[in-house]
Amino acid sequence: MNTTFDVIVVGGGHAGIEAAYAAARMGSKTLLLTLDENKVASMPCNPSVGGLGKGHMVFEVSAFGGLMPKLCSKTYLQARMLNTSKGPAVQGLRLQIDKYAYNKLAVEMLQQTPNLTIISAMTMAVLWNNEDGSRKITGVRTADGTVYHAPAVVITTGTFMRGLVHVGRTRYRAGRRGEDAVYGLSDTIAEAMQAPLGRLKTGTPPRLVRESLDFSQFEQQESQPLKFLYEFDELDVEEKMPCYIAYTNEATHKIISDNLHLSALYSGNIKGTGPRYCPSIEDKVGRYPDRPSHHIFIEPEGADSNEIYPAGLSTSLPLEVQLAYIRSIKGMENAEIAKCGYAIEYDFIQPTHLTHTLEAKAVRGLFLAGQINGTTGYEEAAGQGLIAGINASLLAAGKPPFVLSRQESYIGVMIDDLVTLGADEPYRMFTSRAERRLVLRQDNVFVRLMPYARALGLIDDTLWLRFLDEKAVIEASVRYAHAHGNQSELFKALHCIVFTAVEQAAARTILEQKLAQEGLPVGALSSRALLSVHAEVKYAGYLQKELIESDKAVRYQQLIIPARFDYAELPGLSFELQQKLRHYSPKNIAQAQLIPGMTPAAISILIFQLRMQPECAPCEF
């Protein structure tokens, strides 16, 4: 058996498969080591992809020809565009996924990928040497003693490194439900990187038996007519299975509050920090005792599955308490639990020990991606896996590294946040984290990023030519709209455009006539392209203002923040941002800009208030 490769990827989750897929497509001889080849791309938590900020990253993965978007478009059950009452910059596409079809298709596509070998094995150690006075990765060793060699290794272990599952006061070793944890690997990574290990926590709700629920008592979510998903191709999107909304109540909360002492989270058994933005139901009840109810999203796990995912009920309470509070919810009075909910702790490495390529600073050729870097979510993992896989392939080929900046992508925002500030809680992407979110939209993602993908060899000739056609059409349409002024029929049509075919018709008709006159391919005016034209025209003034604010933030980067500055006195600054500013204590505006979740508006408020301070008055910027 050949044991020498260009790139080795450890872990078959969403980060691992994206890294392996990218490296193999770039021509690197790639090995994917995973505990079970048939469980790659599993969805142990919510079987959905996308949302606000997260969906933007999936579009960015698509611009590089990544795997996640391809899988989503073929295995979705429901598609919804979130935040449609607001502008396109902060809307987010979210798909409910058939997790079993997703996994099966991922296995098939990876097995058919040239240059990629998949082996089911547990990786126990990373190997390196100290030649020339610096550490360089040489490969990995698996549990059976086999050593695989490569100059580049990508570690994407998810929750498996010293994974510990909690259900009430019971705890046991597991990487996730029904799978072994990995012990020993994290110690060798920490030793190689000369970095300490940390512990984080996440969780999942119980799965409910479909037939035991009364769906007539739930609110059905409205489906939306969409013409595009994450891929470049346009398609007619249909709802294959509905999703619903239910609500907890005071009786639910009393059962939970009466049993908080039995929760692993409240008993002190869990040491890891949990996600701020996806707390367990007992955490929500404990934090907000006066709130009468919480949303529960009733979502299918698969078209042929008998299990329902109740998003919002993540828990580490004992099974009998889980059943009691679930049966207190309207429509769930006779609910049966197919699988109990649980919390899980796992090892991670502070991402400040990585460069912007996700390579370890202390070990040449060692890359980390996904939850090992302190993130949470399939989308965050896929974005990191893409960048790690690209750079592992480039390193193996002796080529310069590739970095996406925070000014041009959400993936760049995420990586810059991680490697600059680290993670003191599981990191989750939001549109508010991006300073230039008006520019970093879902609709213009291919124009922004596909040229990079082409240069890296990730886009074939056919798709590239189609992209060039669409780019030309968008640019011509924007020029035409501006040339005819804001009183023109086209301009007015573009200002009322939403996602329905009826409301797009007026703008599309005018543009298609103009494009045909100029000999441009009318077929390139997809719904996504039309939305891009709409955004560029309608928000032209705001886009210009955003560039000005961005320049302003750059000019004032060295503006000093006094050590005792009172953030509570800043009007318009959220309590969360006040907390973060006090926690990080930035010394100047440049450091404040890097705080996760810091918005351009907050930076502007901060600059304005600082310039009013006497000690800042003599400064010239």
Side-chain angles (χ1 to χ4, degrees):
M1 181 177 62
N2 188 5
T3 59
T4 301
F5 295 85
D6 298 320
V7 174
I8 296 173
V9 178
V10 177
H14 300 276
I17 64 170
E18 215 64 66
Y21 191 61
R25 287 188 300 128
M26 290 174 66
S28 294
K29 185 181 176 185
T30 305
L31 170 64
L32 175 60
L33 289 170
T34 182
L35 293 178
D36 186 343
E37 177 180 350
N38 294 312
K39 291 184 179 180
V40 299
S42 291
M43 292 185 168
C45 201
N46 198 341
S48 69
V49 170
L52 305 180
K54 289 172 170 281
H56 289 70
M57 289 194 294
V58 183
F59 271 106
E60 292 177 356
V61 172
S62 183
F64 286 86
L67 192 57
M68 177 175 275
K70 294 180 172 67
L71 299 174
C72 285
S73 67
K74 294 178 175 62
T75 63
Y76 76 92
L77 297 173
Q78 186 204 54
R80 299 179 67 240
M81 191 66 72
L82 308 183
N83 244 10
T84 53
S85 63
K86 299 182 180 179
V90 292
Q91 293 172 8
L93 179 61
R94 181 188 186 275
L95 306 184
Q96 190 66 26
I97 300 296
D98 184 329
K99 61 187 283 185
Y100 304 104
Y102 190 98
N103 157 247
K104 181 180 178 182
L105 183 59
V107 172
E108 292 174 0
M109 291 188 68
L110 289 169
Q111 289 175 339
Q112 295 168 10
T113 301
N115 303 316
L116 179 59
T117 299
I118 309 173
I119 294 178
S120 296
M122 180 180 288
T123 302
M124 299 301 295
V126 295
L127 307 175
W128 72 92
N129 62 33
N130 277 305
E131 292 180 6
D132 303 323
S134 61
R135 295 188 176 195
K136 295 181 181 179
I137 205 75
T138 60
V140 300
R141 184 178 67 250
T142 57
D144 64 2
T146 303
V147 173
Y148 296 96
H149 307 274
V153 172
V154 184
I155 304 293
T156 68
T157 46
T159 60
F160 280 79
M161 292 202 309
R162 290 202 300 152
L164 190 63
V165 165
H166 298 263
V167 182
R169 293 176 176 172
T170 301
R171 55 183 179 178
Y172 57 91
R173 293 181 176 187
R176 58 188 176 213
R177 192 194 316 269
E179 297 185 64
D180 292 335
V182 177
Y183 277 71
L185 176 60
S186 51
D187 292 325
T188 71
I189 294 171
E191 181 184 356
M193 294 178 59
Q194 300 174 315
L197 296 169
R199 295 286 278 178
L200 292 177
K201 167 258 177 187
T202 189
T204 190
R207 305 310 195 265
L208 308 179
V209 177
R210 182 191 298 273
E211 286 79 8
S212 69
L213 305 181
D214 182 358
F215 287 88
S216 68
Q217 300 300 308
F218 306 143
E219 294 178 15
Q220 184 170 340
Q221 289 185 327
E222 292 184 8
S223 60
Q224 297 167 311
L226 299 175
K227 295 291 288 184
F228 62 89
L229 296 181
Y230 290 116
E231 285 197 82
F232 189 84
D233 294 319
E234 184 162 273
L235 70 163
D236 290 314
V237 182
E238 60 178 313
E239 181 178 70
K240 300 172 184 177
M241 293 189 73
C243 297
Y244 300 84
I245 300 175
Y247 300 89
T248 61
N249 53 55
E250 292 181 356
T252 312
H253 297 181
K254 186 176 189 314
I255 294 170
I256 293 169
S257 59
D258 287 348
N259 290 280
L260 281 178
H261 62 287
L262 300 177
S263 166
L265 183 66
Y266 280 79
S267 68
N269 284 343
I270 292 179
K271 307 302 181 185
T273 304
R276 174 193 294 260
Y277 301 105
C278 190
S280 65
I281 185 61
E282 57 262 39
D283 206 15
K284 285 188 276 192
V285 170
R287 285 189 201 176
Y288 310 106
D290 298 327
R291 187 165 178 175
S293 68
H294 294 280
H295 285 80
I296 307 165
F297 297 94
I298 310 300
E299 300 170 332
E301 293 224 305
D304 300 320
S305 172
N306 196 38
E307 294 181 5
I308 294 294
Y309 184 97
L313 292 182
S314 173
T315 186
S316 62
L317 284 162
L319 177 58
E320 62 272 15
V321 179
Q322 294 181 34
L323 185 59
Y325 75 67
I326 284 169
R327 287 183 171 176
S328 71
I329 297 167
K330 186 177 181 180
M332 299 187 185
E333 292 85 353
N334 299 308
E336 296 292 341
I337 292 178
K339 297 172 183 173
C340 71
Y342 63 87
I344 184 168
E345 289 183 282
Y346 54 93
D347 286 344
F348 84 107
I349 302 285
Q350 270 295 346
T352 50
H353 293 277
L354 305 175
T355 70
H356 282 77
T357 65
L358 296 180
E359 183 182 20
K361 293 177 180 178
V363 191
R364 182 70 168 160
L366 178 61
F367 297 83
L368 274 60
Q371 286 178 282
I372 191 173
N373 290 340
T375 61
T376 180
Y378 310 138
E379 305 85 353
E380 287 86 350
Q384 293 172 73
L386 172 75
I387 298 302
I390 288 172
N391 280 294
S393 180
L394 291 172
L395 183 145
K399 296 179 180 179
F402 172 72
V403 173
L404 276 177
S405 78
R406 67 184 301 122
Q407 301 301 316
E408 60 189 349
S409 67
Y410 274 87
I411 293 175
V413 170
M414 170 181 62
I415 292 175
D416 190 48
D417 285 348
L418 291 170
V419 305
T420 304
L421 295 171
D424 56 3
E425 62 186 31
Y427 178 98
R428 178 178 178 178
M429 178 52 69
F430 294 102
T431 54
S432 61
R433 295 191 188 276
E435 296 85 356
R436 300 188 66 203
R437 58 184 176 273
L438 271 180
V439 176
L440 307 183
R441 305 186 308 273
Q442 295 178 136
D443 58 85
N444 69 357
V445 65
F446 298 104
V447 173
R448 283 190 283 118
L449 300 179
M450 195 170 276
Y452 289 131
R454 175 66 173 178
L456 291 165
L458 292 168
I459 301 298
D460 62 28
D461 293 344
T462 301
L463 180 55
W464 179 246
L465 292 175
R466 290 169 53 211
F467 160 75
L468 292 178
D469 285 344
E470 180 170 292
K471 181 173 182 289
V473 161
I474 293 171
E475 292 172 348
S477 298
V478 172
R479 285 197 305 270
Y480 179 72
H482 285 309
H484 287 73
N486 59 11
Q487 298 303 313
S488 71
E489 183 182 358
L490 172 62
F491 193 88
K492 292 176 182 177
L494 285 169
H495 271 243
C496 72
I497 182 177
V498 291
F499 286 95
T500 65
V502 173
E503 290 168 303
Q504 289 184 15
R508 180 183 294 276
T509 299
I510 299 169
L511 284 177
E512 285 182 347
Q513 291 173 352
K514 178 60 180 176
L515 294 170
Q517 291 172 9
E518 295 192 3
L520 290 167
V522 176
L525 189 62
S526 65
S527 294
R528 184 193 60 254
L530 187 58
L531 179 63
S532 188
V533 175
H534 154 66
E536 293 293 330
V537 172
K538 182 172 182 177
Y539 298 102
Y542 293 100
L543 288 166
Q544 185 62 32
K545 182 179 178 181
E546 184 171 283
L547 293 175
I548 293 172
E549 289 295 325
S550 179
D551 291 341
K552 176 182 173 183
V554 171
R555 286 190 292 113
Y556 287 98
Q557 280 188 337
Q558 300 310 311
L559 185 61
I560 301 299
I561 301 177
R564 296 184 179 180
F565 187 75
D566 187 3
Y567 297 105
E569 296 299 316
L570 293 184
L573 203 65
S574 70
F575 180 69
E576 179 191 343
L577 288 181
Q578 292 177 26
Q579 277 187 317
K580 289 186 174 183
L581 284 163
R582 284 193 290 269
H583 173 74
Y584 288 108
S585 298
K587 294 181 173 59
N588 53 36
I589 290 295
Q591 292 183 6
Q593 285 177 283
L594 297 175
I595 295 174
M598 186 60 63
T599 65
I603 291 295
S604 292
I605 292 170
L606 190 55
I607 290 172
F608 177 80
Q609 293 293 333
L610 287 172
R611 294 190 69 197
M612 301 293 288
Q613 301 294 312
E615 57 266 48
C616 294
C619 301
E620 294 183 4
F621 296 95

